C-alpha cells in the first residue's frame, strides 16, 4: 500500500462564516438595537430597582472624610486660581433673604426627583419610540457618576474646614439636604462630584427642549438646569466644578446612546409601528361528494 496522506487540523484557518450566518447575526443585532415598545410594569420595576441600586452603591462608597476634605480644598484652590471661587459670596447673599433660601432648600430636596420622574412619564406616554434611548442616556449618566463618587470623594462646601459657608438647611430648619441633620446618617455626605442634580436637570432640560412642541415648555427646559446650578451653589451643596462633572457624565450618556442606536435619541421615530396582525387562515371551501 502507498503512503497515506494524513491531514491534521493544526495550521488550518477556521472556516469563514457563511453569508447566511452573517446575515442572521446582523439581524439579531439589529433587532436588539431597535427601539421597542415600553411596557409599563417593566419600566416601573426597572426604575425602582435602578434607583434603589444607585442609592445603595452611592451610600456604600466609603466615606473617606479626610480625603474628601482634602479634595474640597483642592477644588476651592483651583477655582480661586481660575478667578471663579464665587460660591461663598452667593451662599451668603441668598442666605440673607429668608423666603428665597427656604424656597431653594425645598427646590434642592424635591425637584431633583419629581421633575426627572415627570419627564420619564411624559416620554413614556408621548414619545414611546424615543423613550428607551433617552432613558439609556439617564442610566449611563448615573452609572458614570457612581464611578466618580468612588474615585473622587468630595466634601460639599458647607462641610469644609476653615471656610465660612452656611448650611442653609440647618440654619433655617427646613427639610432639605439628605446630608444634613438626622438624615446624614443614611446618606454619604462625601459624594458631591459629579453633581447629579446638574446631570439629571440638564437631561430633563435637553429632552424637553428637543421634543416638546409648546414653546414655553421648551424655554422652561433651558431655564431649569440654570436654576438648579444657582440652587446647588447657593445652598452650599456643590461647587460649580461639580456641575461640570455632571455635564461630562451626561455627555458620556448621550455618546453611548448614539453609538447603540446609531443616532441621537431625539432623531428616532416618535411612535413605534403597530405590531402586524397575524394573517387570517385562508378559507378553502369543501367540495361536495358526487
Amino acid at each position: 500500500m502507498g503512503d497515506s496522506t494524513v491531514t491534521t487540523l493544526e495550521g488550518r484557518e477556521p472556516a469563514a462564516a457563511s453569508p447566511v450566518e452573517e446575515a442572521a447575526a446582523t439581524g439579531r443585532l439589529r433587532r436588539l438595537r431597535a427601539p421597542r415598545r415600553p411596557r409599563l410594569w417593566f419600566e416601573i420595576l426597572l426604575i425602582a430597582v435602578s434607583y434603589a441600586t444607585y442609592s445603595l452603591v452611592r451610600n456604600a462608597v466609603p466615606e473617606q472624610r479626610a480625603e474628601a476634605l482634602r479634595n474640597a480644598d483642592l477644588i476651592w484652590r483651583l477655582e480661586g486660581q481660575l478667578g471663579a471661587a464665587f460660591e461663598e459670596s452667593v451662599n451668603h447673599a441668598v442666605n440673607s433673604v429668608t423666603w428665597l433660601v427656604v424656597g431653594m432648600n425645598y427646590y434642592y430636596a424635591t425637584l431633583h426627583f419629581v421633575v426627572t420622574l415627570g419627564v420619564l412619564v411624559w416620554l413614556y406616554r408621548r414619545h414611546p419610540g424615543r423613550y428607551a434611548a433617552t432613558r439609556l442616556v439617564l442610566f449611563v449618566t448615573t452609572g458614570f457618576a457612581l464611578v466618580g463618587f468612588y474615585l473622587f470623594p468630595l466634601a460639599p462646601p458647607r462641610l469644609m474646614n476653615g471656610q465660612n459657608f452656611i448650611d442653609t438647611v440647618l440654619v433655617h430648619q427646613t427639610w432639605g439636604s439628605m446630608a444634613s441633620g438626622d438624615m446624614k446618617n443614611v446618606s454619604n455626605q462625601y459624594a458631591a462630584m459629579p453633581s447629579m442634580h446638574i446631570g439629571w436637570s440638564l437631561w430633563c432640560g435637553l429632552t424637553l427642549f428637543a421634543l416638546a412642541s409648546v414653546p414655553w415648555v421648551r424655554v422652561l427646559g433651558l431655564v431649569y438646569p440654570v436654576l438648579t446650578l444657582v440652587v446647588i451653589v447657593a445652598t452650599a451643596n456643590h461647587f460649580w466644578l461639580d456641575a461640570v462633572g455632571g455635564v461630562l457624565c451626561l455627555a458620556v450618556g448621550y455618546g453611548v446612546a448614539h453609538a447603540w442606536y446609531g443616532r441621537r435619541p431625539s432623531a428616532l421615530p416618535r411612535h413605534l409601528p403597530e405590531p402586524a396582525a397575524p394573517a387570517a387562515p385562508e378559507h378553502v371551501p369543501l367540495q361536495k361528494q358526487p
Side-chain angles (χ1 to χ4, degrees), residues 52-198:
T53 303
Y54 164 74
S55 299
L56 287 173
V57 174
R58 180 181 188 273
N59 296 331
V61 173
E63 293 197 1
Q64 300 165 311
R65 182 176 183 274
E67 183 178 356
L69 290 172
R70 286 195 300 270
N71 288 337
D73 291 335
L74 175 65
I75 292 291
W76 187 238
R77 287 197 303 271
L78 176 59
E79 290 187 351
Q81 293 170 359
L82 295 173
F86 53 77
E87 289 91 342
E88 188 173 304
S89 299
V90 175
N91 176 232
H92 282 257
V94 171
N95 186 68
S96 64
V97 184
T98 302
W99 65 267
L100 180 60
V101 71
V102 168
M104 285 188 173
N105 285 342
Y106 288 122
Y107 180 114
Y108 184 87
T110 60
L111 294 191
H112 178 51
F113 306 103
V114 173
V115 175
T116 305
L117 184 59
V119 172
L120 279 170
V121 172
W122 175 74
L123 276 170
Y124 178 87
R125 291 175 57 87
R126 303 295 297 274
H127 297 266
R130 298 159 177 160
Y131 174 85
T134 313
R135 182 200 61 199
L136 178 62
V137 174
L138 184 65
F139 280 22
V140 172
T141 299
T142 306
F144 269 82
L146 292 174
V147 177
F149 298 154
Y150 182 83
L151 295 179
F152 194 78
L154 179 67
R158 58 187 172 74
L159 293 182
M160 290 180 68
N161 294 325
Q163 301 299 328
N164 196 27
F165 285 100
I166 300 170
D167 189 331
T168 59
V169 171
L170 290 180
V171 169
H172 297 279
Q173 298 296 306
T174 57
W175 177 78
S177 173
M178 289 290 289
S180 295
D182 295 334
M183 298 302 294
K184 66 184 179 182
N185 296 321
V186 295
S187 178
N188 186 352
Q189 301 183 77
Y190 305 116
M193 171 64 87
S195 168
M196 280 298 92
H197 273 75
I198 291 299

